[in-house]
Amino acid sequence: MIKKLLYLLYIGVLVPVTAFAQINTDRVMTIGKNALYFEDYVLSIQYFNQVINAKPYLADPYFYRGLAKMNLDDYPGAERDCSEALERNPFVVNAYQVRGISRIRQKNYKGAIEDYQRALKLDPENISLWHNLVLCRMQEKDYTTAQAELDTIIRISPRYTDAYLMRVENSLKLKDTLQAMNDADRAIEMDRYNPDTWSSRGMLFMMRSQYKDAESDLTEAIRLSLRNAGAYINRALARYYQNNLRGAMSDYDLALDIDRNNFIGHYNRGLLRAQVGDDNRAIEDFDFVLSVEPDNMMAVFNRGLLRDKTGDFRGAISDYSTVLAEYPDFLAGYQYRSQARRKTGDLKGAEEDEFKVLKAQLDIQNGKKPSTASNEKTRKKSDKNMNNYRKIMVADNDSNEDKYKTDYRGRVQDKDVNILPQPMFALSYYERIDDVRRQVNFFKAVDDLNNRQVLPHRLLITNNETSLTEEQVKQHFASIDTRTAEIVKDPKNAIHYYARALDFYLVQDFDNAMQDLDSAIVCDPTLFTAYFSRALISYKQLEFRKRDRKFELDNVDEKLPQVRTIDYTRIREDLDKVIELQPDFVYAYYNRGNILTVMKDYHAALADYNKAIELDNHFADAYYNRGLIHIFLGNNRQGISDLSKAGELGIFSAYNIIKRFTMPTE
């Protein structure tokens, strides 16, 4: 059914379903890349399938389908598609890049290294390739080669901060702490607003037992990245080493507010709660740990101790017995179980445990060495020595996997640098659920349109659009057929054109959507929703043209003209018309403010954001964007005031920007 619909969409006339070669593959590829760029991965794969069926000898559709699969975490499928693309064209750098990332995710580091080496022969100064190559070397424990390659990255891009951060870690593997500290200092000097630079040096101070300095650096990392649970976890450790148990526990509380499923946070908070006598809440933490890792014997034993203290002796005995079944030589387990058994009246069981302890003590006197706890205050997560059960847990040092850069379309250099405005509002049937910030956007004229029930779904006003599921894609393709039949019967009905335009928009076919919106406006020049949707789609088409060149294959779409400020004029005119028809439609002022910002007409943009806030003084997105413009124009006090209001209304990323522009400089 979908294939048949695609013929109707892209050829405009009925053709036999078997005539695959007759589809307009260039047009289908463009729509597929639209869907991919706007993160509608399931839909994009369907379009690329059509091109592959029609022209299986092309490399492009395999590459783009692989990129979509990688974003859906289908790493074997992405690897296969990139291999197909490279068979057809072995000179595509980005295909090696995507296949390399897919192999990393499958822990095939040797295969990824081969891909990056081949790609670097074609593009020897590509920092993203060097970056991932070095991380693969480190996974393979080839630290000497990694160090040489890091030197190369720094020679190519002397201000690439992540290279210094990686060299900090790699130098530590090579026991060169002096080089590590020099690189950490250099990273902060180059990018003092990057929380990773402060975190890296903070952890280096921690390794050198300079806990006060570590806490100071980690505090700076937290100031720059308030929603980073890992920074709180690490600062808690620095405070623990300074015997500041309350401060450490406070950090674990903050970390778990951000990441309620943080395993180390729950385990360590449970230990600290036990130390300060908060036994029942400590049990809750260990219950969570055991819900994640039921076979974590240290958590079982610590919970047993807490149950013992709170009078749940049978629960304690159960936990002690679980541990002893796994570690039959763990003397502390027998000692505590014997005491608990006596409290329940099980004297025989208690005596059996005491006998085992006595026998073990005799063995020690006869020269048998018992297992003992280490002298460290902490233990590695992988440490299974039960005698370390009272020690704070730290992550194993050799896990770098989360540091891989998997966002292929984003430049690694742009990490934590770009400050972007809140996005445009759209009229759509779907929006992404935001657990942190829940809002209902309402306008009476849109509600009236919904109440007329002339559209297949309720129309929403949202700037948090979501991708369609496969089932939703099928529904909208079917709806296009239905609307086409209605248009044939009643070609002067503007709503039929508008409804089909929404279907085309949702399946990322912007050109056909625009044609239908033009027709809807011809039929009804007062249909303000058509102007509003046409403005948004025009904007998205321009954004697609402006997209990062790294998203493309080499030399693809060179014919696309450069986007100029004048190209936004039609969008502004459509929004002008919306405001003429509906002077109280706050989202039109907001969207026009966004367009004027792109056109660098900042004072006019401020006027629109002012009007939007006048109409709705709880419009968080307008406060946020107005704040950014004020800061850009040098009005920091006004900008920070607006960002503070945006944060208060639920856009928490505003606080990170406030920290950047209020942080004192040396």
Side-chain angles (χ1 to χ4, degrees), residues 106 121 123 169 260 279 294 315 351 453 487 518 560 593 629:
Q106 298 174 82
K121 289 180 180 177
D123 188 0
E169 184 176 346
R260 68 187 66 180
D279 298 331
E351 289 172 356
Q453 297 184 342
I487 288 169
D518 291 343
L560 282 177
I629 290 181

Side-chain angles (χ1 to χ4, degrees), residues 510-523:
F510 294 161
D511 287 343
N512 274 324
M514 292 291 282
Q515 290 176 18
D516 275 349
L517 290 170
D518 291 343
S519 298
I521 289 168
V522 168
C523 294

Side-chain angles (χ1 to χ4, degrees), residues 132-149:
N132 284 355
L133 174 61
V134 166
L135 287 172
C136 289
R137 298 283 193 200
M138 293 169 71
Q139 283 288 348
E140 290 292 296
K141 304 189 187 312
D142 187 0
Y143 303 121
T144 302
T145 304
Q147 197 79 344
E149 289 169 346

Side-chain angles (χ1 to χ4, degrees), residues 93-117:
V93 171
N94 289 334
Y96 290 108
Q97 170 74 301
V98 174
R99 189 170 71 176
I101 294 172
S102 300
R103 286 175 168 176
I104 286 171
R105 287 305 183 187
Q106 298 174 82
K107 301 189 184 303
N108 178 10
Y109 302 112
K110 286 186 171 63
I113 287 170
E114 291 175 3
D115 276 336
Y116 293 130
Q117 288 176 322

Side-chain angles (χ1 to χ4, degrees), residues 63-110:
F63 166 74
Y64 287 112
R65 190 174 71 177
L67 181 54
K69 288 178 179 178
M70 186 188 76
N71 280 285
L72 292 170
D73 296 338
D74 177 9
Y75 301 116
E79 182 180 356
R80 286 193 299 272
D81 276 348
C82 288
S83 297
E84 292 285 350
L86 289 166
E87 280 187 17
R88 289 156 177 77
N89 183 356
F91 302 105
V92 180
V93 171
N94 289 334
Y96 290 108
Q97 170 74 301
V98 174
R99 189 170 71 176
I101 294 172
S102 300
R103 286 175 168 176
I104 286 171
R105 287 305 183 187
Q106 298 174 82
K107 301 189 184 303
N108 178 10
Y109 302 112
K110 286 186 171 63

Side-chain angles (χ1 to χ4, degrees), residues 256 260-271 273-274 278-308 310 312 315-316 318-319:
L256 291 167
R260 68 187 66 180
N261 296 321
N262 190 291
F263 182 88
I264 291 178
H266 278 288
Y267 186 94
N268 289 347
R269 189 175 69 176
L271 286 179
R273 282 176 166 175
D278 192 357
D279 298 331
N280 288 314
R281 293 207 298 166
I283 289 172
E284 291 175 4
D285 276 328
F286 287 116
D287 283 342
F288 173 85
V289 170
L290 291 169
S291 71
V292 177
E293 286 189 8
D295 58 348
N296 188 311
M297 292 299 110
M298 292 197 196
V300 173
F301 189 70
N302 278 301
R303 188 178 66 178
L305 294 174
L306 291 161
R307 285 175 165 178
D308 206 333
T310 56
D312 181 8
S318 173
D319 281 343

